[in-house]
Amino acid sequence: MLRKMETSTNNDGLLLPVTEEFYSVQGEGHNAGSAAYFVRLAGCDVRCPFCDSKATWNMKNSTLTDIADIAARAAATPSRTVVITGGEPLMHNLAPLCEELHKQGVKIWLETSGSHKTTGSFDWICVSPKTSRPPLDDVMSIANELKVVITDTESFHFAEKCAMKVAKGCIHTLQAEWDSRETVYPLIFHYVLEHPEWNISIQTHKILNIR
Ligand code: SF4
């Protein structure tokens, strides 16, 4: 069942505001290269200047969608893996969607800035924290991956501050802000040589020109 988004999302999590759903390949981070069904939820109060998903900021660009329908579409894909992204997906109650997806045997990967309380259970949590709205400790403590966007040399200080909040075993990745990549790639390259606990994340979906 699809319903046009009118005002705001509900809190029981049975209907979620979806900006887009599509089957593709994860382009960035530790799981880059793996096929997955993407569910992009609307709403984000972090407002990064470099955001490449600005359409999600306006709830009017979304359709209020029944979670059973989302789960059925994700379960029908060969990968049976879903990426819940946004926007900032943790602005919504994700517990019922996660329950429905897991009931159907679908693996769930979450992409979040970590700026809101966690609801739901996930097989992989990638936190990409932002300075404008720093991540909450409870989200950081359960992150599987810390992915920090680098815009300039100052970003490395923020990355290290965030790294102090994640648990042992959490993967550390650094990703260039796309429009600054020409100047930032060399910075990241040299940083990783000196700090090998960090890995480079490249936005391969932008190179391949896929969603
Ligand atoms: Fe865009 Fe993500 Fe920043 Fe929100 S947190 S403004 S979706 S880059």
Side-chain angles (χ1 to χ4, degrees), residues 43-54 56-57 86-88 112-113 128 130:
C44 187
D45 53 6
V46 182
R47 305 291 162 108
C48 309
F50 52 76
C51 179
D52 56 8
S53 307
K54 287 193 173 116
T56 62
W57 294 4
E88 175 40 71
T112 176
S113 67
S128 183
K130 307 295 183 322

Side-chain angles (χ1 to χ4, degrees), residues 109-125:
W109 297 344
L110 175 71
E111 293 280 331
T112 176
S113 67
S115 57
H116 290 261
K117 204 170 171 309
T118 315
T119 50
S121 65
F122 305 92
D123 300 285
W124 189 266
I125 297 177

Side-chain angles (χ1 to χ4, degrees), residues 119-179:
T119 50
S121 65
F122 305 92
D123 300 285
W124 189 266
I125 297 177
C126 175
V127 180
S128 183
K130 307 295 183 322
T131 49
S132 54
R133 209 179 151 98
L136 303 180
D137 288 352
D138 71 320
V139 188
M140 293 296 266
S141 66
I142 56 170
N144 301 96
E145 177 180 0
L146 170 65
K147 182 176 64 189
V148 182
V149 176
I150 302 295
T151 55
D152 53 31
T153 48
E154 276 305 301
S155 311
F156 294 108
H157 298 299
F158 178 63
E160 293 297 352
K161 261 173 73 179
C162 292
M164 291 166 73
K165 296 186 170 184
V166 295
K168 197 165 179 266
C170 176
I171 304 276
H172 295 36
T173 55
L174 299 171
Q175 182 172 290
E177 188 271 310
W178 185 251
D179 290 337

Side-chain angles (χ1 to χ4, degrees), residues 160 187-198:
E160 293 297 352
L187 300 179
I188 294 180
F189 172 74
H190 290 293
Y191 196 84
V192 167
L193 293 183
E194 293 301 320
H195 305 85
E197 67 276 21
W198 290 95

